[in-house]
């Protein structure tokens, strides 16, 4: 069965699912799992969100039991374990240069005011960029790469 995008972590049916031992809802701390889900669906990899949530909990990817969501550098463990090609960037310039047509990127960045981290997904198609879960929405939104700044970019 082909999975569909869910777009926002605050949207049903996933918003009230719990992530990590802290039992916090996906609507509050699930952006990392949601971003990973988008990347898999965008690339045509069949993924069930609840299975993905469990798969990320098992190897300790939740940060402080999920209180702070997902550890910033943990997604690569999922990719390695599942033999999914990826590249990890800590340079905004290299990340932006790599996001060519047909590519998808997962960004982990500090929220404004450095109030926690947020993961979101960006895809590039026909020279245009769209984001999923950068802000909560029921659709992919146009995205300007200038919104990714070195000061806030983590990986």
């Amino acid at each position: 069965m082909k999975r569909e995008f869910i777009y926002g972590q605050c949207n049903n049916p996933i918003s009230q699912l719990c992530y990590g031992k802290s039992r916090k809802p996906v609507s509050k701390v699930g952006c990392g799992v949601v971003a990973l889900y988008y990347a898999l669906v965008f690339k045509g990899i069949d993924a069930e969100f609840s299975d993905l949530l469990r798969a990320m909990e098992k190897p300790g990817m939740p940060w402080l039991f999920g209180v702070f969501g997902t550890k910033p550098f943990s997604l690569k463990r999922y990719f390695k374990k599942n033999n999914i090609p990826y590249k990890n960037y800590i340079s905004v310039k290299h990340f932006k240069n790599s996001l060519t047509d047909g590519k998808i990127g997962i960004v982990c960045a500090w929220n404004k005011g450095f109030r926690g981290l947020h993961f979101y997904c960006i895809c590039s198609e026909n020279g245009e960029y769209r984001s999923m879960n950068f802000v909560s929405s029921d659709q992919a939104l146009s995205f300007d790469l200038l919104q990714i700044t070195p000061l806030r970019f983590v990986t």
Side-chain angles (χ1 to χ4, degrees), residues 92 95-96 107 120 122 143-150 153:
V92 172
F95 175 77
K96 288 179 180 181
V107 174
Y120 55 95
I122 302 170
F143 187 81
D144 185 343
L145 289 183
L146 293 175
Q147 294 182 80
I148 304 173
T149 64
F153 185 77

Side-chain angles (χ1 to χ4, degrees), residues 97-150:
N97 289 339
S98 73
L99 202 58
T100 56
D101 207 38
K103 300 276 179 140
I104 188 152
I106 298 173
V107 174
C108 177
W110 289 104
N111 287 319
K112 289 184 180 177
F114 298 97
R115 291 184 311 257
L117 296 169
H118 184 55
F119 287 87
Y120 55 95
C121 198
I122 302 170
C123 64
S124 171
E125 289 183 327
N126 302 319
E128 295 185 12
Y129 301 97
R130 294 180 299 136
S131 73
M132 285 138 323
N133 207 40
F134 177 64
V135 294
S136 190
S137 176
D138 60 356
Q139 62 185 335
L141 302 174
S142 180
F143 187 81
D144 185 343
L145 289 183
L146 293 175
Q147 294 182 80
I148 304 173
T149 64

Side-chain angles (χ1 to χ4, degrees), residues 34-54:
V34 171
L36 178 58
Y37 177 82
Y38 293 143
L40 296 176
V41 171
F42 182 82
K43 285 306 204 181
I45 298 171
D46 194 28
E48 178 72 45
F49 186 81
S50 57
D51 292 340
L52 188 58
L53 199 63
R54 277 190 299 279

